[in-house]
Amino acid sequence: MIGELFTITLVLAIVTVTWADLSPPKPSAAWPFDVTEIKAPDGSITAKFVSLGATLTELWVKDREGKFRDVVLGYDDNSQLLTDPAHPVFNAIVGRYANRIKNGTFSIPISKNPDPNAPNTYHIPTNDQNEKTPSSVTYKHVDNADEGFPGDVTVFATHTVSNGGILRTKLRATASQKTPIMLTQHVYWNLDAFQQGSNDIFNHELRLDASRYIELDDIAIPTGRFTDVKGTPLDFTKQQKIGARWNETVDLCGSGCQGYNGGFVFDRPDQKTSKVSLQSQLSGIKVDISTDQPVVVVYTSYWLNVPRKAIHGGPSLNYGPEAAVALEQQGYIAAINTPEWHVDQIYYPGREFNWNTEYKFSTI
């Protein structure tokens, strides 16, 4: 779900501008790449963030042997989050609308194929010092609609770590007038942290509480139909290695693409239980993900090719295709162009957007 992937469909407004500090600005050349570290009281989990995109840059959890591993991808020089031409969007909060607006065009009220000349049609670009405690940090971003969206949106992103190896992220957004909002957190996971000779996520085991998939066309735009995952390589309703049916995934993520890059619809979106689990037998690390969002997008980093962090063996080695899996909890992708779904993603004064996800780490 990265910028270079969908040059005509994906909007990444938040990561192209800086997130404002909630406290008075401090004269620092490091901003917006200033690092904030938070740690759970029991020491079970440590996370680091920078202001740009409220981005998670490091996440340290214990493996089976009690050794800490950094299980998210990123850069040693965080300024590369802004200048890297590939824009892999490592672990940022993404919005104002995180996914697949066909041709960068939508209307309010929504329609299947908006009239490009109608006054209610919007055209947007296409692309492929903070409030904190020792265990929590909040970032604020004001999106002044400089990319063609109607109205201004103010977003608060709060990251908190807790005892027992838990990371929680909460997003709250308010709009000055009617506008589409669909935020997400774009974390790239590798639970082995590229140790013990592991360079990909084929042996990571994934479970999704999702028996339906949002069908895609040949450029990975939703068709408006849902498909049953049973009997297909999309079936992760039971724990399954990501690479188990890899040979069957050709063109699954778009024409010429191999792997996964699409949205799975949760069967029980209202239940506050783990809807996604990812684990590695090699490191023994497992993460269970609970969310209030109805969809998870699974992306196996097909277009990834940037230098690794030193802790992951870089910079002489690169994060390449299949080096990680991104799991994005979010709303129904492309609902802004799919009125037959009857999904309302338009927000306005008096109707705020909320997003809550918990990542709970354990060992197996």
Side-chain angles (χ1 to χ4, degrees):
M1 312 296 305
I2 54 181
E4 72 273 20
L5 239 173
F6 299 105
T7 57
I8 66 166
T9 62
L10 180 59
V11 179
L12 300 173
I14 287 178
V15 295
T16 62
V17 293
T18 56
W19 283 68
D21 191 344
L22 289 179
S23 59
K26 297 178 181 179
S28 170
W31 190 88
F33 309 109
D34 51 318
V35 177
T36 295
E37 178 180 299
I38 58 176
K39 182 179 293 188
D42 66 356
S44 60
I45 183 170
T46 298
K48 294 183 181 180
F49 301 88
V50 294
S51 294
L52 182 76
T55 298
L56 174 67
T57 60
E58 299 176 32
L59 186 65
W60 295 85
V61 297
K62 290 181 180 180
D63 64 15
R64 185 189 292 112
E65 308 302 323
K67 177 184 176 182
F68 280 98
R69 301 195 191 200
D70 179 9
V71 295
V72 299
L73 276 58
Y75 296 106
D76 288 321
D77 176 2
N78 289 315
S79 67
Q80 291 181 266
L81 291 166
L82 183 63
T83 60
D84 173 31
H87 277 301
V89 198
F90 283 141
N91 320 321
I93 304 301
V94 183
R96 158 183 321 190
Y97 192 94
N99 242 309
R100 311 190 195 194
I101 299 180
K102 185 178 182 180
N103 298 322
T105 304
F106 64 91
S107 65
I108 301 176
I110 70 171
S111 59
K112 188 76 170 179
N113 295 294
D115 178 351
N117 299 313
N120 66 324
T121 295
Y122 298 87
H123 304 273
I124 56 178
T126 56
N127 59 17
D128 221 63
Q129 346 308 33
N130 42 45
E131 187 175 279
K132 74 177 295 289
T133 70
S135 60
S136 180
V137 60
T138 296
Y139 295 93
K140 175 185 178 183
H141 172 65
V142 179
D143 178 359
N144 292 314
D146 58 352
E147 292 191 317
F149 283 99
D152 300 334
V153 169
T154 300
V155 184
F156 291 89
T158 299
H159 304 288
T160 304
V161 289
S162 305
N163 291 346
I166 296 173
L167 168 67
R168 294 185 180 93
T169 298
K170 299 179 64 174
L171 307 176
R172 181 173 64 87
T174 57
S176 64
Q177 68 180 76
K178 287 186 175 182
T179 189
I181 302 176
M182 184 173 65
L183 305 178
T184 190
Q185 187 169 28
H186 195 281
V187 181
Y188 279 81
W189 302 102
N190 186 302
L191 301 183
D192 295 328
F194 302 91
Q195 297 183 30
Q196 299 161 277
S198 175
N199 293 307
D200 55 53
I201 41 77
F202 290 142
N203 288 320
H204 280 47
E205 298 171 17
L206 178 65
R207 180 192 61 80
L208 305 175
D209 180 21
S211 58
R212 292 187 301 157
Y213 182 77
I214 299 175
E215 184 181 270
L216 304 176
D217 64 17
D218 60 355
I219 59 169
I221 295 294
T223 64
R225 294 185 293 271
F226 300 100
T227 61
D228 191 328
V229 302
K230 188 175 181 180
T232 77
L234 296 163
D235 190 354
F236 289 97
T237 53
K238 294 181 180 179
Q239 205 85 24
Q240 183 81 236
K241 286 184 178 181
I242 291 175
R245 294 157 295 184
W246 196 255
N247 292 337
E248 302 173 50
T249 65
V250 176
D251 294 334
L252 197 61
C253 50
S255 180
C257 173
Q258 185 168 8
Y260 298 94
N261 186 18
F264 295 79
V265 181
F266 292 128
D267 294 334
R268 292 170 288 276
D270 297 329
Q271 291 189 3
K272 295 181 179 179
T273 56
S274 172
K275 298 181 176 67
V276 178
S277 68
L278 182 70
Q279 66 184 39
S280 170
Q281 295 291 340
L282 186 62
S283 65
I285 296 174
K286 178 181 181 182
V287 58
D288 288 294
I289 302 175
S290 303
T291 185
D292 59 2
Q293 300 300 294
V295 170
V296 61
V297 173
V298 178
Y299 171 55
T300 48
S301 60
Y302 181 76
W303 278 270
L304 191 59
N305 187 28
V306 295
R308 296 184 193 177
K309 299 177 188 176
I311 194 66
H312 292 162
S316 61
L317 296 176
N318 278 13
Y319 298 123
E322 297 84 52
V325 58
L327 302 170
E328 302 169 81
Q329 293 68 234
Q330 60 188 79
Y332 287 88
I333 58 175
I336 190 66
N337 293 136
T338 318
E340 61 267 33
W341 288 351
H342 304 289
V343 174
D344 186 1
Q345 295 176 330
I346 305 300
Y347 296 84
Y348 43 84
R351 185 182 188 227
E352 68 176 32
F353 173 91
N354 287 279
W355 184 103
N356 298 278
T357 295
E358 175 185 288
Y359 309 89
K360 180 175 176 54
F361 290 87
S362 58
T363 54
I364 55 173

